[in-house]
Amino acid sequence: MERTLLKNFELEHKNPSVEALRRWRSAVTFVKNHRRRFRMVADLDKRVEAEQIKQGIKEKFRIALYVQKAALQFIDAGNRVEYKLSSEVRDAGFGIHPDEIASIVRGHDNKTLNDIGGVESIARKLLVSVDGGVNEESINSRQQIYGFNRYTEKPSRSFLMFVWDALQDLTLIILMVCAVVSIGIGIATEGWPKGTYDGVGIILSIFLVVIVTAVSDYKQSLQFRDLDKEKKKIFVQVNRDGKRQKISIYDIVVGDVVHLSTGDQVPADGIFISGYSLLIDESSLSGESEPVNINEEKPFLLSGTKVQDGQGKMLVTTVGMRTEWGKLMETLNQGGEDETPLQVKLNGVATIIGQIGLTFAILTFVVLTVRFVVEKALHGEFASWSSDDAKKLLDFFAIAVTIIVVAVPEGLPLAVTLSLAFAMKKLMNDKALVRHLSACETMGSASCICTDKTGTLTTNKMVVTKAWICEKSMEIKGNESADELKTCTSEGVLNILLQAIFQNTSAEVVKDKNGKDTILGTPTESALLEFGCLLGADFDAYAQRREYKILQVEPFNSVRKKMSVLVGLPDGGVRAFCKGASEIILKMCDKIMDCNGEVVDLPEDRANNVSAVINAFASEALRTICLAFKEINETHEPNISDSGYTFIALVGIKDPVRPGVKEAIQTCIAAGITIRMVTGDNINTAKAIAKECGLLTEGGLAIEGPDFRDLSPEQMKDVIPRIQVMARSLPLDKHRLVTNLRKLFGEVVAVTGDGTNDAPALCEADIGLAMGIAGTEVAKENADVIIMDDNFTTIVNVVKWGRAVYINIQKFVQFQLTVNVVALVINFFSACITGSAPLTAVQLLWVNLIMDTLGALALATEPPNDGLLKRPPVARGANFITKPMWRNIIGQSIYQLIILGILNFDGKRLLGLSGSDATKVLNTLIFNSFVFCQVHSACIMP
């Protein structure tokens, strides 16, 4: 304990004085000794004595802490580290040392930050503006001085390391020893080079087995390295040269102004500039589950943490290995993939088969040896032993060891890994990035997919196609519709509508390199901004954006289902704007702008008329968004309220169904997979989209989240199997549905999601599928598969490959068990009856090479076919080796043993073989027949 604390102390405080170190050691030692004493006393039953000692220790403990505090204060006062700027930093014009700025953020040093002058002063020292961001021309110099935003990775393993690993197999080592002894005895008895043939043959076989195994493992490691690079492709939005743009986190430099919103990953260490309700999840660094509220008082943001709620801007101060995350990565070695459930199951199968093989090997060796000794005794040669006899015994031992090599199916885990790695590589080409190996095999068993609507079933390219303003409905089809809307709408209503669109948004209109307008933001917000621009408003030049002051913001999230903003007017007044789910916003309104543009009361009958319009829009598969405002006349500090608003407009946003989705859903249904849509949209919109996709069928149930929440456990058992659409759902509704499907009904559930709110359901599901385009980093982090094109058709490909993996491994297991049974039985019974084994050590090693490596490569990498989707999904807990597989294994084994038995026991007579080499010729024929029989067994479907 003392050493650890002292080491941390010395790391935190550069060059502490001797006196300070002495005090520190004294304080730590004192505390350590008395803690130990108190723990000992606390275990005793003498409460009075313990209490007295406790009081004394408390006093001494307090003194020790004062000593420690004094030592720290002494160091802070007299030994504060002074960072001297190097000539390189000064020549570049920067005014702060890289280590100094890193230590301020990493140590959450508010005092030093305030002494320097806050974030504005830090920005000036870094030669940036908190609004404009970094100048593109200075990026190279920033990277040279402050570093690149990359982490030192564990060096990849070389090919020779995989060769060395393959050579560590115990049975191969025993065979190598046997080969060397065989060469020595062979040269002594038969001379050079004839005496080396058997031994060299074994060595060459071992060499080929090792090389093929090493090549397979090495290629697999290269595939995983490519997949790891894909997983780390994260993009963020920054300000550079006064323009907002999207860049990779690896291109982040010190001084960048980064925009953060819910679900983003903090790309580097930095300082908070501005924002609203910014909650950061620091559990990846601190282990604390409670989120941290970031504001001017707590302005420090750390790399690797995630935005749980809110939005804000940060100034990047530290990148790469200087960040807190980088320091942590230095102490960690990234582990490999955990074994998948199928690999674990097959490892158990391999162990049992290996034990059976060991038993057969020992019995074969004992039978051959006993028979040989008995024959020598019968011939009166027991007392005389020659080198030929020793060589025969060595051959018996080599055969026994080789039986173990063949019997131990080390190719099973290899086949699984190869099949999964091959599937992962192919799926990456098909726009699906598999983050966890087990997802491939599990997806083949999926019996239910709970899918999101927006961006998965639909294109996620939203456009306002209909609007209801001043109690008038109109289609929006380009500039002509916009001109018509402006003509029939009063200037006051149009002005307040544009304020509601442009003030209450987290999106932004920026100019690209070609000078064209580009909207950065969520699809829904982008559609509203595009609608505002269509009405003739200029985002940058619009007066409200420059003159009006934003006082407070409540960002959109899946629980509130609305976004609100409080705006300070130029005349000193305050106005609130709110937009969001139509039913929620309508309940907050008690006034409406009528057909004359006047603000009038909104009684129940008028509200019912608005609800009818909302339902009419929704039945046309439009996402409905309401916009409202409220004048705030409070003299004290105003807050955003949830009532008293004036209804401005209703807009209908069209998000077309993706091409091919309907066919993909029908394919899933035919494959025995139930599709359920879980969305936050209006139930009429959800039902319209579900019908268009062919998802909502006769007898299927569409339910709203609040109704689902109110169901009792008994009702859920009856209702859940019929649910096909769940609308207006909260994150916990989705999580509850997934949990019940898995636990109550034993379903293997896949879940798609794109937001931070989907993370609980993605974790709970058997397979989590996150959207690569619309998905937040939090959703991707909690997912097993990332759908790079956000397309439901890609999910069907994942299912198909998952089933292919499962069936390919079944083929390989069936093939290998057949080979094992035949090889073990024919050698054992031949040894018992004839005293010799027809399959020699070299031949068995070649069989092992074909079976465990080349067989795995051939069978485990077979691509999927459409017939796989006509099979039902594999049930949870189903036996891996099925009844048809046992039938094929037993049938093939009997058929092969009959052929090989006839050849072995009566082959010379049937084939007319005679002479000194008749046995060798017969054994060669037996071996070739054995190999060709396996080719046939490999072609049988399980």
Side-chain angles (χ1 to χ4, degrees), residues 504-744:
N504 190 19
T505 183
S506 60
E508 205 169 323
V509 180
V510 298
K511 299 280 186 186
D512 60 17
K513 294 181 179 179
N514 300 321
K516 293 182 179 179
D517 284 343
T518 302
I519 300 174
L520 295 177
T522 64
T524 303
E525 298 236 43
S526 298
L528 286 171
L529 281 189
E530 190 175 347
F531 176 57
C533 293
L534 190 67
L535 294 176
D538 184 353
F539 185 80
D540 290 327
Y542 201 65
Q544 289 87 345
R545 198 71 180 175
R546 292 198 311 266
E547 297 174 7
Y548 290 40
K549 183 181 179 183
I550 295 178
L551 304 175
Q552 189 180 341
V553 173
E554 277 187 2
F556 178 89
N557 68 28
S558 57
V559 177
R560 288 190 292 266
K561 295 190 183 298
K562 61 186 175 70
M563 178 179 181
S564 305
V565 63
L566 208 60
V567 178
L569 306 177
D571 60 5
V574 177
R575 185 176 291 155
F577 293 100
C578 191
K579 70 177 179 189
S582 48
E583 296 90 345
I584 293 173
I585 302 300
L586 182 59
K587 288 178 182 177
M588 295 166 55
C589 296
D590 57 12
K591 295 182 180 63
I592 189 172
M593 288 186 165
D594 67 3
C595 56
N596 300 315
E598 300 293 331
V599 176
V600 297
D601 289 335
L602 183 63
E604 187 177 349
D605 58 339
R606 210 163 195 163
N608 290 336
N609 291 337
V610 179
S611 294
V613 175
I614 291 171
N615 292 333
F617 277 30
S619 62
E620 297 176 30
L622 298 178
R623 168 176 278 191
T624 57
I625 302 291
C626 285
L627 300 117
F629 79 100
K630 178 182 179 180
E631 300 289 353
I632 308 290
N633 299 316
E634 299 172 9
T635 53
H636 59 279
E637 187 174 340
N639 288 310
I640 297 176
S641 65
D642 290 333
S643 61
Y645 283 83
T646 300
F647 189 97
I648 305 172
L650 167 71
V651 294
I653 299 176
K654 182 71 174 177
D655 188 10
V657 172
R658 284 182 181 273
V661 162
K662 188 172 183 178
E663 293 77 9
I665 287 176
Q666 294 308 313
T667 302
C668 286
I669 292 171
I673 301 172
T674 305
I675 311 296
R676 293 178 170 90
M677 180 200 291
V678 185
T679 179
D681 264 358
N682 178 292
I683 191 165
N684 293 318
T685 307
K687 285 167 70 174
I689 293 290
K691 287 176 181 175
E692 192 174 343
C693 295
L695 188 154
L696 186 59
T697 58
E698 188 176 349
L701 178 64
I703 191 171
E704 288 190 319
D707 297 331
F708 177 74
R709 264 169 263 150
D710 294 337
L711 294 175
S712 66
E714 292 75 20
Q715 289 173 318
M716 281 198 176
K717 288 181 182 178
D718 178 56
V719 169
I720 285 178
R722 297 187 292 116
I723 292 178
Q724 291 180 338
V725 175
M726 185 188 289
R728 285 286 175 244
S729 64
L730 294 176
L732 288 179
D733 297 332
K734 195 171 188 177
H735 182 268
R736 191 177 183 186
L737 175 65
V738 172
T739 303
N740 283 315
L741 283 168
R742 292 183 70 240
K743 294 182 178 177
L744 287 181

Side-chain angles (χ1 to χ4, degrees), residues 441-453:
E441 67 185 49
T442 311
M443 197 64 195
S445 303
S447 57
C448 169
I449 299 176
C450 294
T451 178
D452 196 9
K453 176 182 75 68

Side-chain angles (χ1 to χ4, degrees), residues 322-498:
R322 282 195 176 96
T323 63
E324 184 71 15
W325 186 256
K327 296 292 181 186
L328 179 65
M329 292 297 287
E330 279 184 327
T331 64
L332 298 176
N333 286 323
Q334 190 171 359
E337 283 274 356
D338 292 334
E339 287 188 325
T340 71
L342 186 56
Q343 284 174 317
V344 173
K345 192 183 294 184
L346 290 179
N347 282 338
V349 173
T351 303
I352 294 170
I353 296 172
Q355 290 171 348
I356 295 171
L358 178 63
T359 304
F360 269 87
I362 293 171
L363 287 173
T364 303
F365 178 71
V366 170
V367 168
L368 288 172
T369 305
V370 169
R371 189 184 180 94
F372 176 71
V373 171
V374 169
E375 284 181 355
K376 280 186 72 68
L378 291 175
H379 288 89
E381 300 173 354
F382 188 78
S384 60
W385 291 81
S386 65
S387 57
D388 286 340
D389 295 333
K391 190 171 183 299
K392 278 190 177 182
L393 289 174
L394 184 66
D395 285 343
F396 295 160
F397 182 72
I399 288 170
V401 173
T402 313
I403 285 174
I404 298 173
V405 174
V406 175
V408 175
E410 66 270 17
L412 285 181
L414 171 67
V416 177
T417 307
L418 279 173
S419 189
L420 293 173
F422 181 73
M424 288 170 76
K425 190 74 175 176
K426 291 295 183 182
L427 281 170
M428 191 164 69
N429 296 335
D430 290 342
K431 304 296 183 183
L433 172 61
V434 180
R435 298 182 71 250
H436 302 128
L437 271 178
S438 58
C440 271
E441 67 185 49
T442 311
M443 197 64 195
S445 303
S447 57
C448 169
I449 299 176
C450 294
T451 178
D452 196 9
K453 176 182 75 68
T454 306
T456 309
L457 301 178
T458 59
T459 60
N460 206 25
K461 295 179 181 176
M462 299 187 178
V463 179
V464 175
T465 58
K466 211 166 185 180
W468 190 79
I469 304 172
C470 296
E471 301 183 315
K472 295 174 187 174
S473 180
M474 59 185 67
E475 302 281 341
I476 307 298
K477 295 180 179 178
N479 292 327
E480 292 182 4
S481 301
D483 292 339
E484 182 184 347
L485 189 149
K486 285 189 285 186
T487 303
C488 65
T489 306
S490 68
E491 187 177 344
V493 173
L494 194 61
N495 187 48
I496 202 75
L497 173 63
L498 291 173

Side-chain angles (χ1 to χ4, degrees), residues 360 819-831 893 897 905:
F360 269 87
V819 176
N820 281 354
V821 169
V822 174
L824 293 177
V825 171
I826 192 67
N827 260 16
F828 176 71
F829 281 102
S830 179
S893 298
L897 285 170
F905 298 114

